[in-house]
Amino acid sequence: MKHNASRRQVLQGAIAIAIVVGFDLVNREWVTSASAASEFESLPPLDGILYTDATTRNAAADDFGHLVRRYPTALLKPGSVEDVVRIVRFARSHKLKVAARGQAHSTYGQSQVEAGIVIDMGTLNTIHSIDTQRAEVDAGLLWSQLLQSSLERQLTPPVLTDYIELSVGGTLAVGGIGGTSHRYGVQVDNVLSLQVVTGLGNLETCSRTQNRDLFEAVLAGLGQCGIIVRATVRLVPAAQNSRVFLLFYNELAALTGDQRLLIAQKRFDYVEGQVVADASGGWRYLLEAASFYTPPNKPNNNSLLAGLSYSQGTEQIEDKSYFDFANRLAPTVAFLKENGAWFYPHPWLDLFVPATVVDRFVGEIVSGLTLSDTGQGPVLLYPVPTDRLTLPLFRVPDEAVVFLFAILRTAPPDASAIAKMLADNRTFFERNRSLDGYRYPIDAVPFSQADWKQHFHPVWGKLVSAKRRYDPDNLLTPGQGIF
């Protein structure tokens, strides 16, 4: 076997990273220039860097949830799309699992891999083109970066997640829901085409008209059939400003009733909801809605609020720039990082609840919920009409309207508290499933393969078929535990 001795010496901080030259098939370990074995399989030339040092691997064994740790043998920072192709082919040859990692904002090890290779997509972050209807971007680009560039042309992605410091490829692998989803669906519904590296190590282009089965297997496909390396996403005209309305309710049914009304009428551009702590104890409910506008046109407050059932006199109304509204979580995130809570465990729960049972289901949970159960994390509740959802693997209840109910828990670094939150998550999931609800799989709910089969029914066969075709060796994204 040929030895590839042309690898670069890399310094990370003050630590010298040994040059990786290949893989020892007998001992199942990487070979470096400092510890060359007599026989090994040479690593293909890379434009980026393959790291095998303990510090880098330890960081890649964690995610935002801080609940699951899986230690890879290496982490690739690709210098090109071709690097992703090369490393997937190399991994396949040597039976190594592979997981793509965006911002690692998963909460239960979804982007981790034990004894395999993590691909840090953050180094692939180029905007290749923007025109009046679309942007072609690398998968590692952050939505905030795309938004800043598109706003220079008075354009915006139709749907943004509440936290916009997430990668394009990361959210497209799961769905990508936001407050404008009642108008535009989720982010995967606004993708025009993709470039994907399959588990076979092939670079494929796919869309609704080209390789449609791959397109539909990758979008909201949880990384099972391919790694998104580039996406062409839809853009729409952007307003300059947002008028933001915070409306408070004493009764859950009043909030959900108004939410149904508003999404049916499309009265606001953005509609979301929260369960918020009441100063006197207990909970009350908040409708967050926004109307986007460009002066001299301005929203008519009376028309927007007409007929709504919020508690009169409690409303808060504020004008912000469009970007500041999209980026409104930035000060909160900075505060959480400063006080350390950002780095605590996050046993999140995200459920899609059928509208016909949402008041009963959420009401029962909230009645027993305390601030210690949430760690003072937000509790979200917002509506989505399912006729806006077009991708088969994005699973929601079979009703005209569904509600995302999310308890974004922050846990103390205490094993018993974490175990209780995870157990509660599983209990709430099962209760929702018995009502024909679904899980939004970005959260921390222990899941078996039988659970996954039920989750994807009746499209389970479609996913299995795509997996056999595009990742027959079950190489990709093992952290999901689907196959």
Side-chain angles (χ1 to χ4, degrees):
M1 297 181 182
K2 294 182 179 180
H3 293 194
N4 179 5
S6 64
R7 310 306 304 142
R8 292 174 287 170
Q9 179 105 17
V10 180
L11 295 179
Q12 186 178 44
I15 303 174
I17 308 301
I19 306 166
V20 179
V21 297
F23 190 71
D24 184 335
L25 302 181
V26 175
N27 297 311
R28 303 293 294 170
E29 61 185 22
W30 297 101
V31 176
T32 69
S33 60
S35 60
S38 59
E39 290 292 333
F40 58 88
E41 180 74 22
S42 296
L43 189 71
L46 297 172
D47 299 313
I49 305 295
L50 187 73
Y51 294 87
T52 60
D53 64 288
T55 300
T56 302
R57 291 167 53 220
N58 186 63
D62 198 12
D63 62 12
F64 182 67
H66 308 304
L67 299 166
V68 175
R69 296 189 68 82
R70 299 187 178 104
Y71 288 85
T73 63
L75 178 139
L76 172 69
K77 289 184 178 286
S80 63
V81 167
E82 289 71 24
D83 275 0
V84 180
V85 172
R86 293 172 188 134
I87 208 68
V88 169
R89 289 179 177 175
F90 189 84
R92 186 177 181 229
S93 295
H94 304 300
K95 296 179 170 49
L96 292 166
K97 304 282 189 179
V98 176
R101 176 185 177 98
Q103 292 299 296
H105 206 69
S106 56
T107 60
Y108 210 54
Q110 290 94 329
S111 60
Q112 299 171 22
V113 56
E114 185 70 34
I117 303 172
V118 170
I119 302 176
D120 183 348
M121 301 298 293
T123 52
L124 300 181
N125 57 9
T126 299
I127 299 175
H128 295 277
S129 66
I130 296 181
D131 64 27
T132 57
Q133 295 182 318
R134 69 198 67 204
E136 185 179 3
V137 303
D138 283 344
L141 186 78
L142 304 184
W143 287 100
S144 62
Q145 296 170 324
L146 174 55
L147 179 62
Q148 287 173 318
S149 292
S150 66
L151 284 178
E152 294 175 0
R153 300 162 175 80
Q154 292 82 50
L155 298 167
T156 180
V159 181
L160 293 166
T161 52
D162 287 339
Y163 182 51
I164 59 175
E165 301 300 323
L166 303 176
S167 70
V168 170
T171 65
L172 295 185
V174 294
I177 192 167
T180 60
S181 288
H182 70 285
R183 287 178 175 265
Y184 298 107
V186 291
Q187 287 179 326
V188 293
D189 297 304
N190 294 278
V191 177
L192 302 177
S193 67
L194 296 171
Q195 286 187 12
V196 174
V197 177
T198 69
L200 295 169
N202 296 331
L203 179 62
E204 303 275 5
T205 298
C206 55
S207 67
R208 293 184 188 273
T209 58
Q210 179 182 0
N211 293 335
R212 182 166 182 159
D213 61 330
L214 178 60
F215 187 72
E216 293 186 344
V218 171
L219 291 174
L222 309 182
Q224 296 306 295
C225 297
I227 297 170
I228 299 170
V229 292
R230 189 177 294 186
T232 301
V233 297
R234 184 180 170 215
L235 298 176
V236 296
Q240 292 181 8
N241 296 327
S242 302
R243 179 161 295 175
V244 185
F245 297 77
L246 302 181
L247 310 176
F248 292 88
Y249 296 74
N250 294 322
E251 302 295 332
L252 174 61
L255 168 67
T256 59
D258 279 0
Q259 287 178 313
R260 289 187 186 93
L261 173 69
L262 293 177
I263 65 170
Q265 295 181 345
K266 297 184 178 60
R267 196 185 297 188
F268 286 94
D269 297 293
Y270 175 102
V271 177
E272 200 167 297
Q274 295 183 36
V275 181
V276 296
D278 193 326
S280 60
W283 304 95
R284 61 177 176 163
Y285 306 94
L286 168 66
L287 173 65
E288 183 178 19
S291 181
F292 304 148
Y293 69 97
T294 298
N297 297 319
K298 291 186 177 181
N300 184 309
N301 292 3
N302 291 334
S303 296
L304 290 171
L305 298 177
L308 300 183
S309 301
Y310 64 93
S311 298
Q312 297 293 318
T314 64
E315 64 271 19
Q316 301 173 18
I317 304 173
E318 182 181 8
D319 287 299
K320 299 181 177 183
S321 73
Y322 182 87
F323 180 80
D324 285 347
F325 175 68
N327 197 39
R328 64 197 176 282
L329 292 188
T332 300
V333 171
F335 173 75
L336 293 174
K337 288 182 177 180
E338 183 178 357
N339 69 20
W342 186 260
F343 308 103
Y344 280 21
H346 294 97
W348 283 8
L349 174 70
D350 290 77
L351 301 175
F352 283 113
V353 184
T356 53
V357 298
V358 67
D359 294 337
R360 173 164 58 92
F361 176 78
V362 174
E364 289 175 354
I365 291 178
V366 169
S367 67
L369 202 64
T370 67
L371 282 176
S372 63
D373 293 325
T374 69
Q376 300 194 44
V379 180
L380 307 179
L381 182 67
Y382 53 100
V384 181
T386 57
D387 65 355
R388 296 293 182 269
L389 308 176
T390 62
L391 274 299
L393 298 186
F394 188 76
R395 307 304 300 150
V396 295
D398 186 18
E399 290 197 1
V401 175
V402 299
F403 283 79
L404 177 68
F405 176 55
I407 307 176
L408 306 187
R409 306 176 189 268
T410 297
D414 173 78
S416 61
I418 293 169
K420 182 183 183 303
M421 289 184 178
L422 290 173
D424 286 346
N425 285 356
R426 180 68 198 193
T427 297
F428 297 156
F429 158 74
E430 290 179 357
R431 191 183 305 172
N432 184 51
R433 181 169 64 176
S434 72
L435 299 170
D436 297 324
Y438 280 80
R439 170 188 170 214
Y440 183 32
I442 63 169
D443 59 359
V445 175
F447 237 43
S448 68
Q449 289 184 320
D451 290 326
W452 282 117
K453 186 174 182 179
Q454 185 278 332
H455 174 84
F456 283 110
H457 180 79
V459 295
W460 173 250
K462 180 181 178 70
L463 178 59
V464 170
S465 176
K467 184 74 169 178
R468 288 172 179 164
R469 179 173 181 181
Y470 295 110
D471 185 26
D473 299 312
N474 195 17
L475 193 78
L476 301 177
T477 323
Q480 294 283 6
I482 299 175
F483 292 99

